[in-house]
Amino acid sequence: MGKAKVSNSSHNESNDNETKLVLNIYDLTPMNNYSYWIGFGIFHSGIEVHGKEYGFGAHDFSISGVFEVEPKCCPGFSYRCSISLGRINMSSSDFREFIENLASDYHGNTYHLISKNCNHFSDDIVYRLTGKHIPRWVNRLARLGSLFSCLLPESLQATRVKKVPEYHQIEGTETLSTATPSEIDETEQENPLLSPKDGSADINFVKAAPSDCKTEMA
């Protein structure tokens, strides 16, 4: 699947396929209240399309780590701001196919704070759809490599998912949600895994398209 058509029109004609592309940004640490103003921070981000927000989180399994939540409501993070990235011409069904294909490249156990985090995922979506990138400051600390780990609070580095992903059917589409807590060795890894702070959060993991059905994307 190639890039979606970016719409810059201002007319009022109805187009059911046209949708906003929005980058929603969250704070991972209170340090951002000070560092944000000088262009630094530790952020989570997700892409809002067709009324849902899509992000990438870590877990211990070789299956999709791509999930969807209500916009600006990703659990475990503090919402900071949104950046409009324009509008694209892509139906909700085409986008679903797109995100399921992309999910096969983003398994939960491949998450890495420096080389493959949620902001890399957001940037990948935006680039594939528009040919552009998200603002560099969103993922700046990851680009600093080894310095990133030194700047992270110890508690953040040790965060774990305490839920086992489980597939189920929602409105005819197979997705993945969090289920029974799993036993995870706190010394095994240092990925900040998705960990809802309360039971009210609705997190649905997106099932990756089978490799033999994967649509080619530019």
Side-chain angles (χ1 to χ4, degrees):
M1 182 180 295
K3 293 183 177 65
K5 182 179 179 182
V6 180
S7 174
N8 294 314
S9 63
S10 59
H11 59 71
N12 295 320
E13 293 181 13
S14 175
N15 184 346
D16 292 338
N17 292 338
E18 189 174 282
T19 183
K20 295 186 298 183
L21 192 64
V22 179
L23 178 70
N24 293 328
I25 300 168
Y26 302 79
D27 291 327
L28 269 69
T29 169
M31 282 196 329
N32 286 0
N33 291 329
Y34 306 99
S35 60
Y36 173 77
W37 303 107
I38 58 173
F40 288 93
I42 304 172
F43 302 103
H44 168 78
S45 67
I47 296 294
E48 181 180 343
V49 184
H50 284 296
K52 288 290 184 180
E53 181 178 313
Y54 297 85
F56 173 48
H59 53 65
D60 289 336
F61 308 95
S62 185
I63 52 179
S64 170
V66 176
F67 61 91
E68 65 178 33
V69 295
E70 291 301 311
K72 305 176 185 178
C73 297
C74 190
F77 307 119
S78 177
Y79 170 75
R80 171 169 285 276
C81 64
S82 296
I83 299 175
S84 176
L85 302 173
R87 304 180 73 87
I88 60 171
N89 224 339
M90 177 180 275
S91 68
S92 58
S93 59
D94 282 347
F95 181 79
R96 189 71 191 190
E97 180 183 355
F98 165 83
I99 202 69
E100 288 177 355
N101 282 327
L102 189 61
S104 63
D105 295 330
Y106 286 89
H107 288 178
N109 63 352
T110 67
Y111 186 104
H112 191 278
L113 272 172
I114 295 172
S115 62
K116 193 175 185 178
N117 63 35
C118 56
N119 300 317
H120 292 108
F121 171 75
S122 294
D123 187 66
D124 195 9
I125 289 182
V126 173
Y127 183 75
R128 289 175 188 251
L129 293 178
T130 72
K132 300 178 182 179
H133 294 281
I134 66 174
R136 293 178 62 85
W137 60 265
V138 177
N139 207 25
R140 181 166 290 153
L141 283 184
R143 294 189 179 91
L144 296 180
S146 60
L147 290 179
F148 186 78
S149 296
C150 298
L151 292 171
L152 277 176
E154 183 177 352
S155 60
L156 182 61
Q157 293 188 53
T159 302
R160 291 290 180 281
V161 131
K162 297 297 189 291
K163 304 285 184 178
V164 176
E166 179 181 87
Y167 285 110
H168 61 100
Q169 295 287 335
I170 295 182
E171 296 180 355
T173 303
E174 193 170 24
T175 58
L176 187 67
S177 66
T178 52
T180 309
S182 62
E183 296 295 330
I184 298 176
D185 186 349
E186 296 292 335
T187 65
E188 285 183 357
Q189 59 182 32
E190 293 187 351
N191 288 344
L193 307 189
L194 203 61
S195 182
K197 289 184 176 180
D198 57 62
S200 63
D202 185 10
I203 301 176
N204 296 317
F205 281 78
V206 176
K207 184 177 181 180
S211 57
D212 57 346
C213 298
K214 188 175 180 181
T215 303
E216 183 178 353
M217 294 185 293

